[in-house]
Amino acid sequence: AQSVTQPDIHITVSEGASLELRCNYSYGATPYLFWYVQSPGQGLQLLLKYFSGDTLVQGIKGFEAEFKRSQSSFNLRKPSVHWSDAAEYFCAVGLMEYGNKLVFGAGTILRVKS
Amino acid sequence: DAGVIQSPRHEVTEMGQEVTLRCKPISGHNSLFWYRQTMMRGLELLIYFNNNVPIDDSGMPEDRFSAKMPNASFSTLKIQPSEPRDSAVYFCASSHSRGGYEQYFGPGTRLTVT
């Protein structure tokens, strides 16, 4: 069955430090992959997406993610974290055979220390 | 462009009452999704529509839940009768089936059933 695993429930980093959030997926075909961010009391906002081509994709707010087919991973990175990046981050895989359906990971809560 | 619009933003009701949540998708999008988010269960897909037709309602928890999409610009999620365990944040999202599968989320409706 298709699934997305985000191994880290919580991550705390210092402001200005680099960040990497992990995401592993299980899906038989070439995946469509997404990262979303949710600030408290808000809906989910799309950060970036991977469909094909260059395996390193750039998103909004200075985030990037790298698709590694051999590792079934799509990790999110940012070189220098800002306090405003504190939020919950969700990785998702698109199931092409089910229309536009997405399967989401459980999320990773990012805390930023000043 | 207006994003996905949901109303009401907050709803407090008593157990046994009927609750109706409303969603207006982004103009031109032909897929619509209803999600529920709780601390215990995370983000759950309840139902989704393509071209106003329900495609997958396997996530609808019970017969007390129903959803309709009478036209391309409006959808409702109804709970009748409501129970305290229905308390959650309900999100609506839309996408275009000929696009890249990315979904755009509304701000959510926070439902509290007392």
Side-chain angles (χ1 to χ4, degrees):
Chain A
Q2 305 89 351
S3 65
V4 176
T5 302
Q6 294 181 245
D8 304 304
I9 298 174
H10 297 98
I11 281 188
T12 300
V13 299
S14 297
E15 191 168 15
S18 63
L19 170 70
E20 182 169 30
L21 302 182
R22 295 183 291 163
C23 172
N24 293 96
Y25 67 90
S26 172
Y27 185 56
T30 300
Y32 286 9
L33 295 162
F34 307 85
W35 275 99
Y36 284 84
V37 61
Q38 183 180 29
S39 297
Q42 305 294 315
L44 278 70
Q45 180 184 20
L46 180 67
L47 277 178
L48 49 77
K49 59 189 180 186
Y50 169 79
F51 293 158
S52 64
D54 193 345
T55 57
L56 185 64
V57 294
Q58 303 296 320
I60 62 172
K61 305 185 181 189
F63 286 91
E64 66 179 26
E66 186 171 12
F67 170 58
K68 293 185 177 180
R69 184 186 301 275
S70 61
Q71 299 177 20
S72 297
S73 69
F74 188 57
N75 294 349
L76 181 71
R77 300 194 294 249
K78 186 170 185 179
S80 178
V81 168
H82 188 262
W83 64 266
S84 60
D85 294 323
E88 188 163 15
Y89 293 79
F90 293 91
C91 181
V93 62
L95 307 184
M96 289 179 283
E97 66 270 34
Y98 295 102
N100 294 23
K101 186 175 178 178
L102 297 183
V103 172
F104 284 87
T108 297
I109 297 173
L110 172 65
R111 299 186 177 120
V112 180
K113 293 189 301 185
S114 57
Chain B
D1 278 345
V4 175
I5 299 172
Q6 292 188 246
S7 65
R9 293 293 309 276
H10 301 273
E11 177 80 38
V12 180
T13 191
E14 293 184 346
M15 182 174 62
Q17 297 298 305
E18 177 180 297
V19 175
T20 299
L21 312 182
R22 296 172 175 81
C23 175
K24 177 178 170 57
I26 293 172
S27 177
H29 283 188
N30 64 339
S31 296
L32 184 139
F33 306 80
W34 282 102
Y35 291 89
R36 178 172 68 176
Q37 187 178 40
T38 61
M39 290 289 291
M40 292 298 295
R41 301 175 68 92
L43 193 63
E44 304 173 274
L45 177 64
L46 300 178
I47 185 171
Y48 77 95
F49 297 83
N50 273 355
N51 298 316
N52 312 336
V53 176
I55 303 299
D56 182 355
D57 65 354
S58 61
M60 296 285 262
E62 301 171 33
D63 291 345
R64 299 184 295 106
F65 286 70
S66 63
K68 294 182 179 179
M69 192 164 186
N71 57 62
S73 59
F74 184 66
S75 177
T76 60
L77 177 68
K78 185 178 293 187
I79 307 172
Q80 166 62 18
S82 57
E83 297 182 2
R85 60 193 168 126
D86 302 330
S87 297
V89 181
Y90 291 81
F91 289 104
C92 176
S94 71
S95 70
H96 199 295
S97 61
R98 287 182 294 168
Y101 292 86
E102 62 265 38
Q103 295 179 15
Y104 295 88
F105 282 74
T109 295
R110 180 173 295 277
L111 173 64
T112 302
V113 183
T114 60

